[in-house]
Amino acid sequence: MTLFARNEPLTEAELDRLEEFLDGCAGGNAMNIEELDGFFAALVAGPEIVLPSEYLPEVFGVDMSDTNVFASLEEANEILALLMRHWNKIAATLSKGDVHVPILLNDENGLPRGNDWAWGFLHGSSMRRDLWAKLMDDEEHGGCLLPMLMLCHEHDPDPKMRPKPISAELRGEILVHLAAGLIVAYRYFREHEHPPMATRATEPRGAKIKIGRNDLCPCGSGKKYKRCCVPVIN
């Protein structure tokens, strides 16, 4: 059975494996790797802990209690371990005050556009919409979310929601400000109204974790693993 690793950032091969899994995920509604990175960035930076039992259905685009997401328990442990490590990498980077460089996919011309990352980020913020609204309404700090809003709504079906056309030069500046805006959001929520929060994915420190189907889920819900973050498995 796969062991949950701790602190190591995902290697290129592991990112490719996670990307491959998400692309082939049952139902076809899973986030891609760029969306996932933006989504996790918002959840880590945000004002309140969101447990895996709440956010994993958003990642995979399914009701995990009713749908076969994983082919085996081994695959479930493998993919959940990769997700946990990527979450922890973002959390460790932001907690040190360092810049988390967004994972951006290239378009058909080999250029990053950032729309999916911004969509993932705003999806993450929508899970605690009322609390994020306080940042958005803050005159001093709310502008940190402008890059995410511009890219998320660049191709909005409602023309009124779209920003002005984004040139290649402006896009480059916006992508830089994505990372800067993430740092501002992270600091804002740790300095305003909320006590210090644990930003690492839920797991006991200093112990290797082997999870059986009848063990308690590591997300902290109190439910058995097979009834919480792992769906019925083929």
Side-chain angles (χ1 to χ4, degrees):
M1 184 178 294
T2 302
L3 296 178
F4 278 78
R6 293 295 189 275
N7 299 319
E8 304 87 352
L10 298 187
T11 65
E12 288 296 325
E14 288 169 331
L15 283 171
D16 288 344
R17 167 60 179 139
L18 185 55
E19 181 177 12
E20 175 188 45
F21 176 83
L22 293 172
D23 288 345
C25 199
N29 295 317
M31 296 180 180
N32 64 34
I33 195 72
E34 179 177 326
E35 293 167 347
L36 173 73
D37 189 62
F39 183 66
F40 273 13
L43 295 182
V44 170
E48 188 174 279
I49 294 174
V50 180
L51 294 176
S53 55
E54 184 178 353
Y55 69 68
L56 284 177
E58 305 298 317
V59 171
F60 299 126
V62 297
D63 181 348
M64 295 185 68
S65 64
D66 299 327
T67 306
N68 296 330
V69 175
F70 305 108
S72 66
L73 183 57
E74 287 72 22
E75 182 177 68
N77 278 324
E78 175 198 10
I79 297 303
L80 292 176
L82 295 178
L83 291 172
M84 183 180 292
R85 283 173 54 199
H86 190 57
W87 175 294
N88 288 340
K89 183 266 182 185
I90 297 173
T93 299
L94 294 178
S95 68
K96 292 186 294 185
D98 294 339
V99 174
H100 170 65
V101 179
I103 295 176
L104 303 177
L105 301 175
N106 292 333
D107 63 13
E108 62 276 7
N109 297 315
L111 299 174
R113 302 192 64 81
N115 303 100
D116 288 349
W117 196 94
W119 181 91
F121 185 93
L122 292 183
H123 190 163
S125 68
S126 72
M127 301 194 76
R128 296 294 184 269
R129 189 183 306 275
D130 291 344
L131 297 176
W132 277 89
K134 295 181 179 180
L135 170 57
M136 190 170 295
D137 293 338
D138 188 285
E139 293 185 3
E140 182 178 356
H141 301 96
C144 72
L145 301 180
L146 184 59
M148 294 74 157
L149 292 167
M150 290 179 67
L151 291 179
C152 182
H153 294 293
E154 183 178 8
H155 306 294
D156 197 288
D158 183 355
K160 296 180 181 179
M161 294 295 295
R162 300 173 198 161
K164 294 181 179 179
I166 299 174
S167 66
E169 181 179 359
L170 178 58
R171 187 179 304 278
E173 295 177 5
I174 292 173
L175 294 180
V176 170
H177 285 103
L178 283 182
L182 175 59
I183 292 177
V184 173
Y186 178 85
R187 291 175 178 170
Y188 175 87
F189 286 121
R190 276 137 197 87
E191 295 173 357
H192 293 76
E193 298 181 5
H194 294 276
M197 300 176 295
T199 53
R200 289 179 57 81
T202 304
E203 57 172 327
R205 184 173 293 181
K208 299 281 187 177
I209 302 177
K210 291 184 178 181
I211 302 178
R213 288 174 58 78
N214 291 311
D215 293 340
L216 291 179
C217 185
C219 78
S221 67
K223 299 179 182 179
K224 290 184 178 181
Y225 189 47
K226 66 182 180 181
R227 300 295 185 192
C228 189
C229 290
V230 173
V232 177
I233 298 171
N234 290 329

